[in-house]
Structure formats: C-alpha cells, structure tokens
Amino acid sequence: MQLRLILLGLIFGTGPIAQVKNLPPIIEKLASIKKSVITYSLNAEHLLSIPDLPENFKNAHQSILKTKDYVFIQMNGTGRLYRLDKTIGGFKWTRLDSTYFIGYNFGAINFCLDTAFYSFGGNGFWITNGILRFFNPISKEWNHIPTSDPLYFSRKMDNGNDNFYYLDTLEKKLYIQGINFSHQAIIDPYSYVPYKDMLFSLDIRTGIYDTIGQLKNDTYAFLGTTPWGVIANNGTIIDVKKNITYQLSTSKKDELRALKENATRSNDFSISFFVDSMLYIGNYYNKIDSIKIAERDLIKDKEIFYKPIESISKATAINKYNMIILVLIVIIIFLLILLFGKGRATSLITSMGYGMRNKKNSLKEDKNEIDNQITFRSSKIIELLEERERNLLSFIFKQSSEERLTSIEEINKVIGAAQRSPEIQKRLRSDLIISINEKLSILTKNKKLVIEKQRSEFDKRSFEYFIQPEFMDLVKRIIE
C-alpha cells in the first residue's frame, strides 16, 4: 500500500519533485529578471529530469517559461507544468498540474500571458491538432478554448527550425504559419492542404482568427524577441506586425556567428532569450554568453515579410470575375443552341456581334430579346444544376418555406459530407452554394444572392442559410 501511495504521488502529486542546490548560469540569469521573458528552446536537452515519463520523452523539448516572479517548465507532449521555487540552501521544482494523459501535443507552442499558461496545436496519436488550451489553476488541468476555425499547427523543431510563429504579448495575439501538410496526411498523403504557408493571427481572448497574408515556404530558427521583432536565422529580425524585416549589420552578424560557432568549444546551446538590449544564450550546464543589439545595428530589407491578403484577394477577384464572364458566355450560347438549333443560334450570335460593332440600339434590342427568352424558359436552368446542387437547393427551399434556417450540419448531410474533415466540408459547402448562386443570377439579373446566410443566434462563429423571400417563387418554379 505504501509503495502504491508513493507511485500515485509521483504521477498526480503537486509537491516538490526535484531538489537542486545550484542552477545553470543561464537559468540563474533568467530567474533574476523581474519581468516576463519569452524564451526559445534550441535543442531537446532537459533542464529537469522526469523519470516517470516513458523513455521516448527524452527527445521531447522542455519549454522554459518566465513570468514576472517565477521560472516554469512546460513538458512537451504532456500537460506537465513545474515551477521553480527557492528553498533554504537551494531550489526545488514543484509540479502544479494533475494531468494524466500524454502524447497528444508534441511540437505545441507553449507560452504564458501574465500569469496565465497556454498551449496551442501540436501533434500525436497520428494527427496534428489546432486546439488552444489554457491551464486551469483551480482544477489543475488543461481546458479547451473554442476557436473560429480549425487551423492545425505544429512546430517542426528539426535541427532547431520551426514553422513561423510569433506571440504578441501586448495585444494578446498569436501569429502562426499555415503548415504545408494535412493533419490527415498519415491517412491520405495527397489530402487537401487549404492553409499552406498562409499567415494567420489568433486572438487569444476571443479565439477568432484573422487571415493576414501569405508567407514564403521556409522554416525559422528563433533566438529571441526584441522590441523590433523576433530574431531568426542567425541575423534576420522579423517585425510581423509592421510586415518589415531587418538584417543585423555585418559586424553584429559576425559577432553572433562567433558566439554560436566557436571551433574550440561545444556549440550545443539549449536556450536563448532577449531582454534589455541583450541577447542571452546558454546550455543547462555551465555555458552562458551574450551579445548586445541596438536599433542602430538594424538594416531594413527592401522586401516585405509576407504578401498582404489584400493583394491576394484582388488578384483572386479579378480571376474569378473573368471566369464568371466566360461561364456566362458559354451558358448563353448553350441556351441559344437549345432554343433555336445550331444553325439559327450561330446566325443570331453573328448578328449580335455585328450589332455590337455598329448599332447600339440594335444591341439593346438583341439583349432584351435574349433576356426575355431566358426568362420565358427559366425552368431550363434545372438542366444546368448538378444533382447535389438540385438536392441542396430543394432542401434549403423546403426549410425556408417553413420559415426555418438551414444549419451547416444539415447541409453537410444533404451533400454527403458529414463524415469528411472540417476543411473538406467547408470547401464543398462553399463551392456548391457559390455555384448555385452564380447560375441563378442569370435569371434574377440581380446582385443579391438567392441563397443567403446569417450568423447563428446560438453560435456567432457559425452560419445558417436561407433563400431570400423575393426569390422564393422563382426557386419554386425551378425545382417543381
């Protein structure tokens, strides 16, 4: 019985788990700083030995977190959280959590805001997740924070390199790079990757994502967070909020290279951080070094860090507009062939072209004639709708007739996507509804959409769909 109690104490206990007399110089320096500091783990070396974890956790990183008053360790791949406390004649590590399950969040971003602890994303059990978690100090367990989109993320940490991420402690936002593989890649290596190399910001307080822009496909070796941005890749400073990058001056790059790549000593560093104009770097034994970096040491790059979403949206909108025009022309020609036969349709198209070049009045008459013909044969639009589009239109019409909104879950069932991943569900819904609206716009001659959406009263992050009342008669004629 006594042995069982000792084992339970090791697994669930919140008391001291390790007593040490002295700290590594780099940790002693970090503990002496009386404010929050963002640190970066540079290798899988462990500051704290945790013997009750499986052997493979020796290769998992430990995140060192610094609040105003304490140093903490968040163990990657677990929910373990430890605090460094002073004792008479030394220090002890006190376990704060009471979590049990492990192996779900390797490669997560672990961070703190003031005295609150968070963990985002990570991978394990054959899947990458996009879950935002926070540590509940009352239950001593991790709770889930709902987010507006399921964006999956994991740090790479191969040879110290990561996917891009940046923590804005002032506005409490986390900037992340869309990973270039699907979270279901182990099931389907060719699965759809909707957010590849896109840059997003996540508001930690609300759980709402914003799409910022598009990044180059790259990885980053972070060293410290400065007032001008995050230091990465041995001399690049990235200010993601202003979309600016800087390079350290040649002399500072040489100084940094000499600090990290010395031929007469081991260059295996465990942790780095920036505070009060100094970049500190060291290991968990006896190595500590520093370099001073001032604003005068920065040289602004000509190129921006990411392509803003406005530029992407504008180019996409132009391409989409051109595609819509082309589709409309094809549909009109198709309808003319159906109505008049191939020979007469060709003659009519030719005469329309002649009128466009020579007679404005003739153009208006031809256009009105075509409009009237399309409106008169409006039921023909059913031949242009695919089976899933017809089924979806009929279902939303039935719901709207009963003054009911159609939920996303109902749409997923109608289109046969209920068992698909959230990204594929979203893409299929969007593609079908856009296609239906574009085809019906030929008849309505109206900028208003036939199928419209509004935010759900029960969940403001979700939408519900309906057919606008003014188009109900038109849709009824089409589907009946």
Tab-separated table of all heavy atoms in Angstrom, residues 369-420:
chain	number	residue	atom	x	y	z
A	369	GLU	N	-34.147	40.910	-76.151
A	369	GLU	CA	-34.761	39.711	-76.709
A	369	GLU	C	-34.212	38.461	-76.036
A	369	GLU	O	-34.948	37.554	-75.669
A	369	GLU	CB	-34.496	39.655	-78.222
A	369	GLU	CG	-35.153	38.441	-78.893
A	369	GLU	CD	-34.843	38.405	-80.374
A	369	GLU	OE1	-34.243	39.371	-80.873
A	369	GLU	OE2	-35.194	37.415	-81.001
A	370	ILE	N	-32.890	38.429	-75.842
A	370	ILE	CA	-32.264	37.275	-75.194
A	370	ILE	C	-32.728	37.162	-73.749
A	370	ILE	O	-33.061	36.081	-73.264
A	370	ILE	CB	-30.729	37.387	-75.258
A	370	ILE	CG1	-30.271	37.287	-76.704
A	370	ILE	CG2	-30.063	36.306	-74.425
A	370	ILE	CD1	-28.808	37.608	-76.900
A	371	ASP	N	-32.796	38.325	-73.039
A	371	ASP	CA	-33.257	38.313	-71.654
A	371	ASP	C	-34.658	37.739	-71.557
A	371	ASP	O	-34.958	36.921	-70.687
A	371	ASP	CB	-33.249	39.731	-71.066
A	371	ASP	CG	-31.819	40.221	-70.835
A	371	ASP	OD1	-30.916	39.369	-70.856
A	371	ASP	OD2	-31.634	41.423	-70.655
A	372	ASN	N	-35.528	38.188	-72.471
A	372	ASN	CA	-36.906	37.702	-72.450
A	372	ASN	C	-36.966	36.210	-72.724
A	372	ASN	O	-37.733	35.477	-72.104
A	372	ASN	CB	-37.743	38.452	-73.483
A	372	ASN	CG	-37.942	39.918	-73.083
A	372	ASN	OD1	-37.869	40.242	-71.899
A	372	ASN	ND2	-38.154	40.785	-74.064
A	373	GLN	N	-36.133	35.744	-73.657
A	373	GLN	CA	-36.151	34.321	-73.989
A	373	GLN	C	-35.678	33.497	-72.795
A	373	GLN	O	-36.272	32.465	-72.475
A	373	GLN	CB	-35.246	34.063	-75.201
A	373	GLN	CG	-35.826	34.639	-76.495
A	373	GLN	CD	-34.779	34.701	-77.600
A	373	GLN	OE1	-33.612	34.479	-77.344
A	373	GLN	NE2	-35.211	35.001	-78.800
A	374	ILE	N	-34.616	33.945	-72.107
A	374	ILE	CA	-34.103	33.197	-70.967
A	374	ILE	C	-35.122	33.183	-69.843
A	374	ILE	O	-35.381	32.166	-69.225
A	374	ILE	CB	-32.766	33.797	-70.489
A	374	ILE	CG1	-31.702	33.619	-71.565
A	374	ILE	CG2	-32.309	33.149	-69.184
A	374	ILE	CD1	-30.392	34.312	-71.259
A	375	THR	N	-35.749	34.344	-69.597
A	375	THR	CA	-36.756	34.413	-68.542
A	375	THR	C	-37.939	33.518	-68.866
A	375	THR	O	-38.467	32.809	-68.008
A	375	THR	CB	-37.215	35.867	-68.358
A	375	THR	OG1	-36.080	36.675	-68.077
A	375	THR	CG2	-38.223	35.965	-67.218
A	376	PHE	N	-38.382	33.505	-70.147
A	376	PHE	CA	-39.535	32.716	-70.551
A	376	PHE	C	-39.262	31.236	-70.359
A	376	PHE	O	-40.144	30.472	-69.977
A	376	PHE	CB	-39.851	33.020	-72.024
A	376	PHE	CG	-41.059	32.257	-72.533
A	376	PHE	CD1	-42.318	32.630	-72.134
A	376	PHE	CD2	-40.902	31.180	-73.383
A	376	PHE	CE1	-43.430	31.949	-72.596
A	376	PHE	CE2	-42.000	30.486	-73.835
A	376	PHE	CZ	-43.277	30.866	-73.449
A	377	ARG	N	-37.994	30.815	-70.584
A	377	ARG	CA	-37.635	29.407	-70.448
A	377	ARG	C	-36.820	29.194	-69.170
A	377	ARG	O	-35.889	28.418	-69.150
A	377	ARG	CB	-36.818	28.963	-71.669
A	377	ARG	CG	-37.534	29.073	-72.989
A	377	ARG	CD	-38.735	28.145	-73.070
A	377	ARG	NE	-38.335	26.752	-72.913
A	377	ARG	CZ	-37.884	26.011	-73.931
A	377	ARG	NH1	-37.805	26.521	-75.150
A	377	ARG	NH2	-37.534	24.767	-73.739
A	378	SER	N	-37.166	29.903	-68.098
A	378	SER	CA	-36.357	29.866	-66.886
A	378	SER	C	-36.243	28.477	-66.290
A	378	SER	O	-35.271	28.160	-65.641
A	378	SER	CB	-36.938	30.826	-65.835
A	378	SER	OG	-38.248	30.412	-65.466
A	379	SER	N	-37.222	27.629	-66.499
A	379	SER	CA	-37.145	26.285	-65.935
A	379	SER	C	-35.998	25.481	-66.539
A	379	SER	O	-35.602	24.462	-65.997
A	379	SER	CB	-38.464	25.543	-66.155
A	379	SER	OG	-38.719	25.404	-67.544
A	380	LYS	N	-35.455	25.914	-67.657
A	380	LYS	CA	-34.329	25.221	-68.270
A	380	LYS	C	-33.085	25.257	-67.385
A	380	LYS	O	-32.170	24.476	-67.571
A	380	LYS	CB	-33.983	25.861	-69.620
A	380	LYS	CG	-34.940	25.466	-70.741
A	380	LYS	CD	-34.696	24.037	-71.172
A	380	LYS	CE	-35.571	23.650	-72.347
A	380	LYS	NZ	-35.353	22.239	-72.739
A	381	ILE	N	-33.046	26.181	-66.415
A	381	ILE	CA	-31.865	26.285	-65.558
A	381	ILE	C	-31.645	25.010	-64.767
A	381	ILE	O	-30.535	24.698	-64.353
A	381	ILE	CB	-32.006	27.493	-64.593
A	381	ILE	CG1	-30.644	27.853	-63.966
A	381	ILE	CG2	-33.009	27.192	-63.506
A	381	ILE	CD1	-29.693	28.450	-64.940
A	382	ILE	N	-32.720	24.227	-64.582
A	382	ILE	CA	-32.587	22.986	-63.837
A	382	ILE	C	-31.619	22.037	-64.521
A	382	ILE	O	-30.959	21.222	-63.876
A	382	ILE	CB	-33.978	22.323	-63.660
A	382	ILE	CG1	-33.916	21.246	-62.566
A	382	ILE	CG2	-34.469	21.698	-64.952
A	382	ILE	CD1	-33.703	21.773	-61.190
A	383	GLU	N	-31.495	22.153	-65.864
A	383	GLU	CA	-30.579	21.284	-66.584
A	383	GLU	C	-29.124	21.659	-66.331
A	383	GLU	O	-28.224	20.859	-66.591
A	383	GLU	CB	-30.881	21.337	-68.091
A	383	GLU	CG	-32.286	20.865	-68.442
A	383	GLU	CD	-32.581	21.016	-69.928
A	383	GLU	OE1	-31.634	21.341	-70.663
A	383	GLU	OE2	-33.725	20.822	-70.321
A	384	LEU	N	-28.893	22.880	-65.852
A	384	LEU	CA	-27.523	23.319	-65.578
A	384	LEU	C	-27.095	22.994	-64.153
A	384	LEU	O	-25.922	23.085	-63.828
A	384	LEU	CB	-27.399	24.834	-65.803
A	384	LEU	CG	-27.724	25.316	-67.218
A	384	LEU	CD1	-27.579	26.818	-67.285
A	384	LEU	CD2	-26.816	24.642	-68.233
A	385	LEU	N	-28.046	22.664	-63.292
A	385	LEU	CA	-27.724	22.343	-61.906
A	385	LEU	C	-27.345	20.871	-61.789
A	385	LEU	O	-28.046	19.997	-62.299
A	385	LEU	CB	-28.916	22.631	-60.993
A	385	LEU	CG	-29.366	24.092	-60.900
A	385	LEU	CD1	-30.612	24.204	-60.056
A	385	LEU	CD2	-28.263	24.959	-60.324
A	386	GLU	N	-26.240	20.621	-61.078
A	386	GLU	CA	-25.859	19.245	-60.818
A	386	GLU	C	-26.814	18.643	-59.792
A	386	GLU	O	-27.558	19.360	-59.114
A	386	GLU	CB	-24.426	19.191	-60.292
A	386	GLU	CG	-23.399	19.709	-61.284
A	386	GLU	CD	-22.003	19.730	-60.682
A	386	GLU	OE1	-21.885	19.376	-59.485
A	386	GLU	OE2	-21.059	20.099	-61.394
A	387	GLU	N	-26.755	17.319	-59.648
A	387	GLU	CA	-27.694	16.633	-58.755
A	387	GLU	C	-27.550	17.129	-57.323
A	387	GLU	O	-28.556	17.397	-56.650
A	387	GLU	CB	-27.450	15.122	-58.799
A	387	GLU	CG	-28.431	14.335	-57.924
A	387	GLU	CD	-28.206	12.840	-58.001
A	387	GLU	OE1	-27.338	12.406	-58.796
A	387	GLU	OE2	-28.891	12.105	-57.273
A	388	ARG	N	-26.297	17.277	-56.839
A	388	ARG	CA	-26.119	17.756	-55.468
A	388	ARG	C	-26.604	19.189	-55.312
A	388	ARG	O	-27.130	19.568	-54.264
A	388	ARG	CB	-24.645	17.651	-55.052
A	388	ARG	CG	-24.242	16.243	-54.638
A	388	ARG	CD	-22.950	16.223	-53.872
A	388	ARG	NE	-21.836	16.700	-54.659
A	388	ARG	CZ	-20.575	16.709	-54.232
A	388	ARG	NH1	-20.286	16.266	-53.029
A	388	ARG	NH2	-19.597	17.145	-55.008
A	389	GLU	N	-26.439	20.005	-56.375
A	389	GLU	CA	-26.930	21.380	-56.322
A	389	GLU	C	-28.457	21.411	-56.273
A	389	GLU	O	-29.045	22.195	-55.513
A	389	GLU	CB	-26.412	22.160	-57.531
A	389	GLU	CG	-24.897	22.352	-57.529
A	389	GLU	CD	-24.363	22.942	-58.821
A	389	GLU	OE1	-25.112	22.962	-59.827
A	389	GLU	OE2	-23.204	23.365	-58.835
A	390	ARG	N	-29.095	20.554	-57.068
A	390	ARG	CA	-30.563	20.490	-57.045
A	390	ARG	C	-31.066	20.032	-55.680
A	390	ARG	O	-32.020	20.593	-55.133
A	390	ARG	CB	-31.060	19.547	-58.136
A	390	ARG	CG	-30.832	20.039	-59.551
A	390	ARG	CD	-31.706	19.299	-60.553
A	390	ARG	NE	-31.421	17.872	-60.596
A	390	ARG	CZ	-30.525	17.313	-61.396
A	390	ARG	NH1	-29.816	18.070	-62.226
A	390	ARG	NH2	-30.302	16.012	-61.384
A	391	ASN	N	-30.421	18.998	-55.125
A	391	ASN	CA	-30.844	18.493	-53.822
A	391	ASN	C	-30.688	19.550	-52.737
A	391	ASN	O	-31.570	19.726	-51.884
A	391	ASN	CB	-30.026	17.249	-53.449
A	391	ASN	CG	-30.333	16.065	-54.348
A	391	ASN	OD1	-31.388	16.025	-54.995
A	391	ASN	ND2	-29.427	15.106	-54.409
A	392	LEU	N	-29.546	20.259	-52.762
A	392	LEU	CA	-29.301	21.279	-51.750
A	392	LEU	C	-30.282	22.436	-51.894
A	392	LEU	O	-30.836	22.922	-50.900
A	392	LEU	CB	-27.859	21.787	-51.857
A	392	LEU	CG	-27.452	22.872	-50.849
A	392	LEU	CD1	-27.671	22.396	-49.424
A	392	LEU	CD2	-25.994	23.272	-51.057
A	393	LEU	N	-30.523	22.873	-53.139
A	393	LEU	CA	-31.457	23.976	-53.375
A	393	LEU	C	-32.859	23.593	-52.900
A	393	LEU	O	-33.553	24.387	-52.249
A	393	LEU	CB	-31.468	24.340	-54.865
A	393	LEU	CG	-32.380	25.501	-55.280
A	393	LEU	CD1	-31.944	26.791	-54.597
A	393	LEU	CD2	-32.369	25.676	-56.787
A	394	SER	N	-33.286	22.367	-53.198
A	394	SER	CA	-34.611	21.908	-52.786
A	394	SER	C	-34.727	21.847	-51.269
A	394	SER	O	-35.756	22.236	-50.698
A	394	SER	CB	-34.894	20.519	-53.378
A	394	SER	OG	-34.890	20.561	-54.785
A	395	PHE	N	-33.663	21.370	-50.599
A	395	PHE	CA	-33.713	21.245	-49.144
A	395	PHE	C	-33.795	22.618	-48.474
A	395	PHE	O	-34.619	22.845	-47.580
A	395	PHE	CB	-32.473	20.502	-48.645
A	395	PHE	CG	-32.486	20.240	-47.165
A	395	PHE	CD1	-33.206	19.192	-46.639
A	395	PHE	CD2	-31.793	21.073	-46.304
A	395	PHE	CE1	-33.222	18.962	-45.267
A	395	PHE	CE2	-31.800	20.856	-44.938
A	395	PHE	CZ	-32.517	19.794	-44.418
A	396	ILE	N	-32.948	23.561	-48.928
A	396	ILE	CA	-32.976	24.904	-48.323
A	396	ILE	C	-34.311	25.585	-48.621
A	396	ILE	O	-34.855	26.315	-47.772
A	396	ILE	CB	-31.788	25.749	-48.839
A	396	ILE	CG1	-30.453	25.099	-48.437
A	396	ILE	CG2	-31.855	27.175	-48.300
A	396	ILE	CD1	-29.229	25.823	-48.961
A	397	PHE	N	-34.871	25.337	-49.841
A	397	PHE	CA	-36.185	25.900	-50.181
A	397	PHE	C	-37.261	25.370	-49.234
A	397	PHE	O	-38.103	26.134	-48.743
A	397	PHE	CB	-36.545	25.565	-51.634
A	397	PHE	CG	-37.949	25.953	-52.010
A	397	PHE	CD1	-38.267	27.277	-52.290
A	397	PHE	CD2	-38.956	25.007	-52.060
A	397	PHE	CE1	-39.566	27.643	-52.627
A	397	PHE	CE2	-40.250	25.364	-52.401
A	397	PHE	CZ	-40.553	26.676	-52.680
A	398	LYS	N	-37.245	24.084	-48.964
A	398	LYS	CA	-38.231	23.484	-48.064
A	398	LYS	C	-38.113	24.084	-46.666
A	398	LYS	O	-39.122	24.431	-46.032
A	398	LYS	CB	-38.027	21.970	-48.002
A	398	LYS	CG	-39.058	21.228	-47.147
A	398	LYS	CD	-38.825	19.725	-47.214
A	398	LYS	CE	-39.862	18.970	-46.389
A	398	LYS	NZ	-39.812	19.303	-44.962
A	399	GLN	N	-36.871	24.215	-46.191
A	399	GLN	CA	-36.654	24.810	-44.869
A	399	GLN	C	-37.142	26.260	-44.834
A	399	GLN	O	-37.813	26.683	-43.884
A	399	GLN	CB	-35.168	24.760	-44.521
A	399	GLN	CG	-34.582	23.368	-44.384
A	399	GLN	CD	-34.860	22.759	-43.035
A	399	GLN	OE1	-35.883	22.106	-42.865
A	399	GLN	NE2	-33.973	22.966	-42.093
A	400	SER	N	-36.817	27.014	-45.887
A	400	SER	CA	-37.218	28.423	-45.937
A	400	SER	C	-38.730	28.544	-46.035
A	400	SER	O	-39.323	29.494	-45.491
A	400	SER	CB	-36.545	29.122	-47.126
A	400	SER	OG	-35.137	29.083	-47.007
A	401	SER	N	-39.387	27.615	-46.738
A	401	SER	CA	-40.847	27.639	-46.846
A	401	SER	C	-41.497	27.470	-45.475
A	401	SER	O	-42.591	27.984	-45.219
A	401	SER	CB	-41.332	26.524	-47.788
A	401	SER	OG	-40.803	26.693	-49.076
A	402	GLU	N	-40.805	26.741	-44.594
A	402	GLU	CA	-41.318	26.523	-43.244
A	402	GLU	C	-40.754	27.544	-42.257
A	402	GLU	O	-40.850	27.364	-41.042
A	402	GLU	CB	-40.941	25.104	-42.790
A	402	GLU	CG	-41.565	24.019	-43.671
A	402	GLU	CD	-41.023	22.638	-43.328
A	402	GLU	OE1	-40.147	22.553	-42.428
A	402	GLU	OE2	-41.486	21.661	-43.933
A	403	GLU	N	-40.155	28.622	-42.814
A	403	GLU	CA	-39.568	29.700	-42.023
A	403	GLU	C	-38.501	29.170	-41.062
A	403	GLU	O	-38.396	29.599	-39.910
A	403	GLU	CB	-40.650	30.463	-41.258
A	403	GLU	CG	-41.666	31.134	-42.174
A	403	GLU	CD	-42.683	31.948	-41.403
A	403	GLU	OE1	-42.679	31.877	-40.156
A	403	GLU	OE2	-43.478	32.665	-42.043
A	404	ARG	N	-37.715	28.231	-41.579
A	404	ARG	CA	-36.614	27.666	-40.798
A	404	ARG	C	-35.293	27.927	-41.512
A	404	ARG	O	-35.224	27.875	-42.742
A	404	ARG	CB	-36.799	26.151	-40.614
A	404	ARG	CG	-37.985	25.779	-39.750
A	404	ARG	CD	-38.174	24.260	-39.758
A	404	ARG	NE	-36.960	23.573	-39.345
A	404	ARG	CZ	-36.763	22.272	-39.497
A	404	ARG	NH1	-37.680	21.527	-40.088
A	404	ARG	NH2	-35.634	21.721	-39.099
A	405	LEU	N	-34.254	28.198	-40.726
A	405	LEU	CA	-32.917	28.351	-41.281
A	405	LEU	C	-32.271	26.971	-41.423
A	405	LEU	O	-32.609	26.033	-40.695
A	405	LEU	CB	-32.053	29.229	-40.375
A	405	LEU	CG	-32.527	30.679	-40.204
A	405	LEU	CD1	-31.718	31.370	-39.118
A	405	LEU	CD2	-32.410	31.434	-41.512
A	406	THR	N	-31.347	26.847	-42.359
A	406	THR	CA	-30.657	25.579	-42.602
A	406	THR	C	-29.253	25.649	-42.014
A	406	THR	O	-28.467	26.533	-42.363
A	406	THR	CB	-30.566	25.282	-44.114
A	406	THR	OG1	-31.883	25.268	-44.659
A	406	THR	CG2	-29.900	23.929	-44.353
A	407	SER	N	-28.951	24.729	-41.112
A	407	SER	CA	-27.658	24.740	-40.425
A	407	SER	C	-26.566	24.109	-41.285
A	407	SER	O	-26.841	23.415	-42.266
A	407	SER	CB	-27.764	23.976	-39.098
A	407	SER	OG	-27.968	22.598	-39.341
A	408	ILE	N	-25.318	24.354	-40.887
A	408	ILE	CA	-24.172	23.769	-41.580
A	408	ILE	C	-24.216	22.248	-41.499
A	408	ILE	O	-23.922	21.552	-42.470
A	408	ILE	CB	-22.858	24.309	-40.965
A	408	ILE	CG1	-22.647	25.775	-41.390
A	408	ILE	CG2	-21.654	23.480	-41.382
A	408	ILE	CD1	-21.457	26.427	-40.738
A	409	GLU	N	-24.609	21.729	-40.334
A	409	GLU	CA	-24.676	20.264	-40.163
A	409	GLU	C	-25.702	19.654	-41.118
A	409	GLU	O	-25.461	18.578	-41.704
A	409	GLU	CB	-25.047	19.915	-38.716
A	409	GLU	CG	-23.954	20.228	-37.700
A	409	GLU	CD	-23.856	21.700	-37.378
A	409	GLU	OE1	-24.806	22.447	-37.733
A	409	GLU	OE2	-22.823	22.110	-36.783
A	410	GLU	N	-26.850	20.318	-41.311
A	410	GLU	CA	-27.866	19.801	-42.225
A	410	GLU	C	-27.364	19.810	-43.668
A	410	GLU	O	-27.607	18.871	-44.436
A	410	GLU	CB	-29.152	20.634	-42.092
A	410	GLU	CG	-29.885	20.414	-40.773
A	410	GLU	CD	-31.044	21.379	-40.585
A	410	GLU	OE1	-30.909	22.563	-40.958
A	410	GLU	OE2	-32.089	20.958	-40.059
A	411	ILE	N	-26.653	20.883	-44.038
A	411	ILE	CA	-26.097	20.960	-45.384
A	411	ILE	C	-25.079	19.843	-45.608
A	411	ILE	O	-25.062	19.196	-46.656
A	411	ILE	CB	-25.462	22.347	-45.630
A	411	ILE	CG1	-26.547	23.421	-45.673
A	411	ILE	CG2	-24.659	22.357	-46.931
A	411	ILE	CD1	-26.018	24.819	-45.829
A	412	ASN	N	-24.229	19.594	-44.601
A	412	ASN	CA	-23.229	18.525	-44.728
A	412	ASN	C	-23.889	17.178	-44.997
A	412	ASN	O	-23.383	16.372	-45.787
A	412	ASN	CB	-22.387	18.445	-43.454
A	412	ASN	CG	-21.440	19.625	-43.322
A	412	ASN	OD1	-21.102	20.272	-44.315
A	412	ASN	ND2	-21.012	19.914	-42.114
A	413	LYS	N	-25.024	16.907	-44.345
A	413	LYS	CA	-25.726	15.644	-44.558
A	413	LYS	C	-26.314	15.572	-45.964
A	413	LYS	O	-26.232	14.546	-46.638
A	413	LYS	CB	-26.824	15.474	-43.512
A	413	LYS	CG	-26.317	15.225	-42.104
A	413	LYS	CD	-27.466	15.065	-41.121
A	413	LYS	CE	-26.940	14.839	-39.703
A	413	LYS	NZ	-28.049	14.703	-38.731
A	414	VAL	N	-26.906	16.672	-46.426
A	414	VAL	CA	-27.553	16.688	-47.741
A	414	VAL	C	-26.532	16.462	-48.852
A	414	VAL	O	-26.794	15.742	-49.821
A	414	VAL	CB	-28.306	18.028	-47.960
A	414	VAL	CG1	-28.809	18.134	-49.398
A	414	VAL	CG2	-29.477	18.124	-46.999
A	415	ILE	N	-25.357	17.057	-48.732
A	415	ILE	CA	-24.353	16.947	-49.801
A	415	ILE	C	-23.433	15.745	-49.606
A	415	ILE	O	-22.477	15.562	-50.348
A	415	ILE	CB	-23.512	18.237	-49.909
A	415	ILE	CG1	-22.672	18.460	-48.651
A	415	ILE	CG2	-24.412	19.433	-50.187
A	415	ILE	CD1	-21.776	19.693	-48.724
A	416	GLY	N	-23.681	14.947	-48.538
A	416	GLY	CA	-22.905	13.733	-48.316
A	416	GLY	C	-21.513	13.983	-47.781
A	416	GLY	O	-20.590	13.226	-48.072
A	417	ALA	N	-21.348	15.056	-47.002
A	417	ALA	CA	-20.015	15.399	-46.488
A	417	ALA	C	-19.931	15.278	-44.978
A	417	ALA	O	-18.963	15.744	-44.376
A	417	ALA	CB	-19.637	16.820	-46.914
A	418	ALA	N	-20.916	14.664	-44.351
A	418	ALA	CA	-20.969	14.625	-42.889
A	418	ALA	C	-19.769	13.916	-42.274
A	418	ALA	O	-19.341	14.249	-41.174
A	418	ALA	CB	-22.264	13.959	-42.434
A	419	GLN	N	-19.212	12.932	-42.996
A	419	GLN	CA	-18.102	12.160	-42.452
A	419	GLN	C	-16.739	12.678	-42.917
A	419	GLN	O	-15.715	12.062	-42.633
A	419	GLN	CB	-18.251	10.677	-42.875
A	419	GLN	CG	-19.558	10.040	-42.456
A	419	GLN	CD	-19.774	10.101	-40.950
A	419	GLN	OE1	-18.835	9.911	-40.188
A	419	GLN	NE2	-20.995	10.385	-40.533
A	420	ARG	N	-16.725	13.766	-43.673
A	420	ARG	CA	-15.464	14.314	-44.169
A	420	ARG	C	-14.836	15.240	-43.128
A	420	ARG	O	-15.464	15.619	-42.136
A	420	ARG	CB	-15.697	15.084	-45.486
A	420	ARG	CG	-16.470	14.314	-46.538
A	420	ARG	CD	-15.724	13.077	-47.037
A	420	ARG	NE	-14.553	13.430	-47.811
A	420	ARG	CZ	-14.605	13.679	-49.130
A	420	ARG	NH1	-15.760	13.591	-49.793
A	420	ARG	NH2	-13.497	13.976	-49.778
